[in-house]
Amino acid sequence: MPPSLDPTATISLVTGANRGIGREVCRQLAALGHTVLLTGRSFEPTEWAAEELTRETGREVRPLRLDVTDEASVAAAVGQVAHLYGRLDVLVNNAGIAYDTWQRAVTADLAVVREAAETNLYGPWRMAIAFAPLLRASAHPRLVNVSSEAGSLASMGGGTPAYSASKAGLNALTRMLADEMRGDGVLVNAVCPGWVATAMGGPGGRPVEEGAASVVQAATLPDDGPTGGFFRDGSPLPW
């Protein structure tokens, strides 16, 4: 049966998903039976990752070229999802860049800060605006912003200014979206997967499977689950 005709499939889209946490989130969602849209800026590695996960899980993982910083790319993705499925059940804003450990706020290169904000804050914001109608068309919509404890004002200090400031902004966006979309039944939460051993996180972090599981937990909340929260492994974090 074509996926667009299957009313029981849970349709999940993950940004920045051809490697790392995003890829593992796709794998875990597919293993739970979701139809997964694995997205990335470059189509070839995105297609390879989707094909590998389809073989591994036995579930449909579809590649979709998507650059969260590009309005036209986001609009094209919305059109494809609307055409195929008519709704989106889960949106995971995972794409992120610029863990700028070499910078300090007082001497920061603001071009780096702007670039980080374009992906880490405006990207998820752009996605939320564009996909809101398709999320509202879902019976059980979930929106997950993959954030970081580096964006928590309660524990923030110096360093990584581009990353920390953009993730703090993402946390604020999470609160606003949760309040504004509450009436539509959309559960909107931010998740810190923790320090994970990925290309961005570097060696020494916890396994990517554990970090991704924290994201998947928020993506699969029951209808009476929390909204407007900031979590790691299901436990609240201070804003």
Side-chain angles (χ1 to χ4, degrees):
M1 175 182 292
S4 57
L5 299 180
D6 182 359
T8 65
T10 299
I11 313 302
S12 298
L13 185 151
V14 184
T15 66
N18 56 20
R19 64 179 184 175
I21 293 172
R23 186 184 187 282
E24 178 61 20
V25 168
C26 289
R27 190 193 68 78
Q28 292 187 21
L29 289 175
L32 290 173
H34 293 215
T35 293
V36 177
L37 303 173
L38 184 156
T39 80
R41 290 179 297 175
S42 301
F43 188 73
E44 269 195 5
T46 301
E47 187 175 38
W48 294 336
E51 289 175 353
E52 288 175 357
L53 291 183
T54 296
R55 288 194 298 269
E56 181 181 337
T57 64
R59 297 292 303 182
E60 182 181 29
V61 179
R62 284 184 164 231
L64 181 62
R65 186 185 178 282
L66 173 60
D67 181 348
V68 301
T69 70
D70 185 323
E71 294 276 359
S73 177
V74 172
V78 170
Q80 291 182 62
V81 176
H83 174 71
L84 284 171
Y85 307 106
R87 71 182 191 283
L88 183 64
D89 301 304
V90 177
L91 171 59
V92 178
N93 284 316
N94 168 74
I97 63 168
Y99 191 57
D100 53 330
T101 55
W102 67 93
Q103 291 208 105
R104 307 291 289 180
V106 73
T107 54
D109 180 346
L110 292 184
V112 174
V113 177
R114 290 189 191 97
E115 184 181 20
E118 193 60 50
T119 295
N120 297 351
L121 173 58
Y122 300 129
W125 205 333
R126 186 175 290 112
M127 290 290 293
I129 292 170
F131 279 93
L134 290 179
L135 286 168
R136 293 188 183 106
S138 168
H140 309 282
R142 307 287 179 262
L143 195 162
V144 183
N145 289 323
V146 179
S147 186
S148 170
E149 198 169 5
S152 169
L153 297 179
S155 58
M156 190 176 292
T160 62
Y163 189 78
S164 296
S166 61
K167 291 297 187 179
L170 181 62
N171 285 350
L173 175 66
T174 300
R175 295 284 289 181
M176 289 185 280
L177 291 175
D179 186 66
E180 293 176 9
M181 302 181 83
R182 189 185 306 268
D184 299 311
V186 185
L187 302 185
V188 184
N189 292 288
V191 172
C192 170
W195 176 26
V196 177
T198 62
M200 180 183 289
R206 66 176 179 165
V208 68
E209 294 84 1
E210 293 181 12
S214 192
V215 177
V216 170
Q217 186 173 34
T220 57
L221 287 170
D223 288 344
D224 61 352
T227 190
F230 185 25
F231 301 98
R232 181 171 58 235
D233 299 332
S235 298
L237 291 174
W239 293 103

